[in-house]
Amino acid sequence: MSGPAKPHRLSDAERYRTVTAARERFLAGDDRVRGVRPEIATSWYRCREQYHVDPGLDRAPAASVDEPPTTEHTLENEVVFANLGGAAASIAPEVESLGGVVTVTDGIGRILTVQGDVNTLRRARESNMAPWSCWSEWATGTNGMVTALEAPGPVLISGPEHWCTGFDEWVCGGVAVRDPVTDDAVAVLDVSTWRHNLPAQAAGWLSHAVSGVRAILRQRARDSGAELAAAFAQASARSGQALAALDASGKVVIADEEASLLLGVPARVPALDPTVRWRPALDLSRLTRHATKQARLDRGWIGSTQIATGLTAEPRRLVLRPVFLADQPIGTLAVFGSGSGDPVETEQPDRGMSAPSRIVGLSGERMVLLHRAEVRFAEADGNEVWLVTEQGRLQASMRGIDKLEGLLTGSEFLRVHRRFLVNLSCVRAIDRGDRGELMLIMDSTTREAVPVSRRNVPAVRRALGI
């Protein structure tokens, strides 16, 4: 008896034709992308719907043309770039032997350094693959240097997978380095070749090369946790108000007894490592990011705002006092009670680019474009986000439920739990549990239910008019 049939593997030429045809159909407005990896298809969608990148582009613009005005390089990032430059130099001989080049970009795709084969460098300059050119997705479309920013590991972009036809002769493999506290991309290391494939070991080169830089960031994150805990201990000794130490992403490093009740975290249990820090019931991520940004501009800045805690009908005053390590802001002390500071308004997400009209879900190799009304709710599983829809459970194309929440701000969606974002128009009933907790019934037939955290109950009641 013959063995099981082996799956047919497309040749490079067949794959090139398949992807080229899919891109042409997509450019013509057909959303049914076939034969293209989901991460490529979703990048194309952003290029077409959100960034409006010219697919005929054959040269990257200068960074100053498309650089967001709020982007800045901190001293900490400069240390990362220097170490990553050394890592790039360590693999440059291997890359040069293949006729390739290795580049380092910052977290938004601006090239900082490029080195490698002389002939390929000449080709690269023709596309403006050179220092301080902008290879961000919003400026230059799908490419290995910045599509890596949306992926958890190394990514490979080749031929017509590039959004811009002018880059079709390049093959690029990139891997991002992320801040372990905020998960923001700090830099990308990329290897590119012209008109021939990267070897299988290229992904290993990239991962090995960035391992040292990642170790530096992890140690920095642990040091910042210890510094925040020390600042908390010092402030706690002289403060009679509820107090917590928050990192730059809004997670709790340590909280006293009263603050622990407000935030829904254990009292006086330090979480120094970023992988074990407490996610509070109150979403303070935008406030802490704002505080970090302001503290970089003014070391003496203190902010204050009013915040609904859910424990009382009246909002509580929250004062934010930045904490520094080596002159860099690493988080804040959150003081609940009286106090003054610059008023902090709830920040709206950055909308320098128009938001996509639809949400992108993935089902295997199929990309599903969803109108917002088609999504009943979204559920976080770590950095992955799952969309529950009439078409079934689909994986969202973007990482992090916070990012999806920011995209949907001002719409009918409401964050009801740290893991759940709900389309309020899809709520069919409300159940009350044995201990008084609320459950939102999203489908009257299947009794599909979403829990409401205790801290979010007042906001849900107001939104639903109950």
Side-chain angles (χ1 to χ4, degrees):
M1 178 182 290
S2 60
K6 294 183 178 179
H8 174 64
R9 182 175 181 179
L10 293 177
S11 67
D12 287 344
E14 288 174 315
R15 180 175 160 278
Y16 192 102
R17 287 193 295 269
T18 297
V19 177
T20 299
R23 184 175 62 183
E24 289 174 352
R25 292 193 303 271
F26 190 73
L27 285 171
D30 187 353
D31 292 335
R32 296 172 298 174
V33 180
R34 294 290 186 273
V36 180
R37 289 179 290 152
E39 61 268 31
I40 303 302
T42 53
S43 176
W44 286 0
Y45 180 71
R46 290 191 297 268
C47 292
R48 187 186 73 179
E49 301 291 327
Q50 187 173 0
Y51 304 138
H52 311 295
V53 180
D54 178 7
L57 192 71
D58 61 3
R59 184 176 174 83
S64 58
V65 174
D66 292 277
E67 176 187 353
T70 56
T71 301
E72 57 182 321
H73 285 177
T74 65
L75 176 62
E76 180 186 29
N77 286 358
E78 296 293 352
V79 173
V80 171
F81 299 147
N83 280 273
L84 203 56
S90 71
I91 64 172
E94 294 168 298
V95 175
E96 187 174 355
S97 68
L98 329 156
V101 295
V102 56
T103 60
V104 176
T105 79
D106 65 11
I108 61 168
R110 298 175 295 193
I111 292 181
L112 306 178
T113 181
V114 55
Q115 53 191 303
D117 176 69
V118 174
N119 292 327
T120 310
L121 283 170
R122 186 167 57 251
R123 297 282 186 188
R125 284 193 293 272
E126 292 174 2
S127 300
N128 201 22
M129 192 186 297
W132 219 241
S133 57
C134 190
W135 286 77
S136 64
E137 199 173 65
W138 66 78
T140 319
T142 308
N143 66 83
M145 280 177 273
V146 293
T147 304
L149 300 179
E150 298 292 333
V155 299
L156 178 70
I157 308 294
S158 64
E161 290 179 333
H162 292 91
W163 174 251
C164 299
T165 56
F167 307 132
D168 281 3
E169 292 181 300
W170 287 97
V171 177
C172 310
V175 63
V177 176
R178 297 183 179 280
D179 185 312
V181 174
T182 64
D183 200 42
D184 293 337
V186 177
V188 173
L189 184 67
D190 176 88
V191 173
S192 300
T193 55
W194 193 71
R195 284 189 171 176
H196 63 83
N197 292 329
L198 288 169
Q201 62 266 36
W205 293 348
L206 292 168
S207 295
H208 179 72
V210 301
S211 60
V213 179
R214 287 172 170 166
I216 291 172
L217 289 174
R218 285 194 298 269
Q219 183 58 54
R220 164 77 179 188
R222 287 191 288 269
D223 291 345
S224 71
E227 188 68 21
L228 284 164
F232 168 87
Q234 185 176 10
S236 183
R238 61 174 185 267
S239 173
Q241 299 173 321
L243 178 70
L246 310 175
D247 69 16
S249 70
K251 290 183 180 178
V252 180
V253 174
I254 188 169
D256 66 14
E257 288 76 4
E258 186 178 355
S260 72
L261 292 174
L262 296 170
L263 298 174
V265 301
R268 299 192 182 276
V269 179
L272 306 186
D273 192 285
T275 61
V276 298
R277 291 177 189 167
W278 312 107
R279 185 181 295 277
L282 299 176
D283 185 2
L284 302 175
S285 58
R286 289 184 191 167
L287 289 173
T288 52
R289 283 178 181 270
H290 177 79
T292 301
K293 177 182 173 182
Q294 294 300 118
R296 286 198 182 105
L297 300 173
D298 177 7
R299 187 179 172 90
W301 180 88
I302 296 174
S304 68
T305 188
Q306 297 280 343
I307 189 166
T309 65
L311 295 181
T312 62
E314 294 297 321
R316 292 284 296 268
R317 175 162 292 279
L318 175 64
V319 177
L320 301 171
R321 300 178 179 274
V323 177
F324 296 81
L325 175 63
D327 291 326
Q328 295 297 313
I330 55 172
T332 60
L333 291 177
V335 184
F336 294 87
S338 61
S340 61
D342 289 347
V344 178
E345 300 296 333
T346 302
E347 287 197 310
Q348 296 299 317
D350 183 4
R351 297 191 183 275
M353 300 294 169
S354 58
S357 58
R358 285 186 278 181
I359 301 171
V360 182
L362 307 176
S363 177
E365 294 188 355
R366 185 165 62 100
M367 179 178 68
V368 183
L369 304 182
L370 301 159
H371 293 287
R372 296 180 181 185
E374 295 180 88
V375 179
R376 293 201 291 269
F377 65 90
E379 179 180 0
D381 182 9
N383 276 330
E384 292 184 351
V385 180
W386 294 90
L387 308 173
V388 178
T389 75
E390 295 295 335
Q391 300 186 48
R393 190 176 172 89
L394 306 173
Q395 185 176 354
S397 63
M398 63 179 58
R399 290 162 49 89
I401 197 167
D402 292 341
K403 186 181 291 187
L404 180 62
E405 181 186 16
L407 178 69
L408 297 173
T409 294
S411 70
E412 63 276 16
F413 282 82
L414 180 69
R415 188 75 167 267
V416 301
H417 187 280
R418 65 183 179 83
R419 291 181 51 224
F420 292 95
L421 185 64
V422 163
N423 184 342
L424 294 174
S425 66
C426 294
V427 176
R428 298 292 173 259
I430 300 174
D431 276 356
R432 184 177 292 279
D434 296 337
R435 292 179 295 178
E437 67 275 17
L438 294 185
M439 302 291 292
L440 303 181
I441 307 303
M442 309 303 297
D443 187 295
S444 55
T445 303
T446 63
R447 302 291 292 174
E448 191 174 55
V450 172
V452 178
S453 67
R454 183 163 53 95
R455 302 300 185 267
N456 287 315
V457 167
V460 170
R461 288 186 177 279
R462 286 194 299 270
L464 295 175
I466 57 174

